[in-house]
Amino acid sequence: MRIAITSDIHANLVALDAVLEHAGPVDAIWNMGDAVGYGPQPSECITRLCEFGAIWVAGNHERAATGAISTDEFNPAAATAAQWTANRLAADERAFLDALPETRIEGDFTLVHGSLRWPIWEYLVDFETARAHLSLQQTPFGFVGHTHIPMQVTELPEDRQGCELHRLADGDIVELGESRLVLNPGSVGQPRDGDKRASYGLLDTDARTFILRRVEYDIASTQKLMGEAELPHWLIERLAIGR
Ligand code: ZN
């Protein structure tokens, strides 16, 4: 099976469509949450993912968009965008987002937005969070999102830190071998690693590989829609710098 691994689409339909076209025919989409929030087309992104039958776990932005959590912990721009998103969604879209689970297991893979310790909140960014996550991961491999930075965590039981972390760049291939792994495909709709291109991964369960890919998309057209929606300026500007 060829599976597109996406996360943090953030209502950026132009970026999502660029990724889906770049990926070509896939057997499935596994999405690590935050499909809404920040961007201008939340309903359109939900519709597109549903058209493809995406398998999906909730992020903090899905929960904020439905009012299931408060936006007190969000920065002001994120809270403004979350409120804008909540006002845009139809009742059936809110119900759909509310029903999304926080974790899922698909074969050898565990899916979660943040970490298995705090599924919608924790940023898996260092040895401590990685160890805590791995201790709870019951499958050999896992996917996370939330940080908007593509990354590979490799468990090293003999190592003092217990694991190794490194960032992934376009074209990097990860072999699914003996080591337990956690993989972050980066963000489709709001990359934050200094590379403004949309980020996603392609999992090939026959070849046992995960390939990180970056894709150019029409950033200006998403920015135009955000301007028309009067979304916060910083959210518009950051797309062009990948921060
Ligand atoms: Zn996000």
Side-chain angles (χ1 to χ4, degrees):
M1 288 225 296
R2 260 176 115 251
I3 301 168
I5 308 296
T6 60
S7 190
D8 298 279
I9 295 161
H10 283 296
N12 189 341
L13 183 70
V14 182
L16 175 59
D17 280 341
V19 160
L20 294 174
E21 189 186 335
H22 187 266
V26 290
D27 300 297
I29 298 173
W30 292 354
N31 179 45
M32 271 7 93
D34 279 8
V36 301
Y38 296 134
Q41 295 185 286
S43 299
E44 293 86 343
C45 286
I46 294 169
T47 301
R48 182 73 83 248
L49 287 168
C50 289
E51 282 167 7
F52 279 81
I55 281 173
W56 193 345
V57 289
N60 50 315
H61 282 266
E62 275 89 7
R63 292 297 186 247
T66 68
I69 61 169
S70 96
T71 54
D72 293 351
E73 309 261 326
F74 283 46
N75 67 54
T80 300
Q83 194 54 56
W84 181 90
T85 303
N87 293 337
R88 284 273 301 229
L89 294 180
D92 61 333
E93 292 168 338
R94 272 198 295 277
F96 174 81
L97 295 183
D98 261 335
L100 291 172
E102 292 186 352
T103 62
R104 282 185 79 128
I105 291 179
E106 296 290 323
D108 284 344
F109 302 86
T110 302
L111 284 52
V112 66
H113 181 62
S115 79
L116 288 169
R117 181 162 62 178
W118 291 306
I120 63 166
W121 287 117
E122 186 164 58
Y123 292 92
L124 202 165
V125 288
D126 55 24
F127 293 120
E128 198 275 322
T129 52
R131 279 194 302 268
H133 174 97
L134 279 163
S135 72
L136 296 167
Q137 183 175 292
Q138 292 168 3
T139 57
F141 311 112
F143 289 110
V144 299
H146 197 37
T147 65
H148 298 210
I149 294 173
M151 195 169 74
Q152 172 182 357
V153 177
T154 308
E155 186 176 56
L156 300 172
E158 309 300 323
D159 184 81
R160 190 171 57 88
Q161 299 288 4
C163 55
E164 173 183 88
L165 285 68
H166 66 260
R167 290 189 179 198
L168 295 172
D170 187 24
D172 282 354
I173 300 176
V174 180
E175 309 273 352
L176 305 182
E178 295 300 311
S179 298
R180 299 174 78 228
L181 302 172
V182 189
L183 299 166
N184 187 326
S187 169
V188 171
Q190 195 200 75
R192 293 180 190 163
D193 62 347
D195 184 340
K196 64 190 178 187
R197 296 176 296 173
S199 186
Y200 78 104
L202 269 175
L203 172 67
D204 187 324
T205 57
D206 301 315
R208 310 281 292 168
T209 55
F210 170 87
I211 305 178
L212 197 281
R213 300 309 310 262
R214 302 303 285 254
V215 188
E216 304 268 3
Y217 73 96
D218 186 356
I219 293 172
S221 84
T222 294
Q223 290 177 313
K224 181 164 177 284
L225 291 172
M226 292 174 78
E228 288 164 7
E230 299 182 353
L231 284 158
H233 280 295
W234 163 236
L235 298 182
I236 299 173
E237 288 161 18
R238 68 189 304 175
L239 295 182
I241 53 172
R243 292 287 178 200

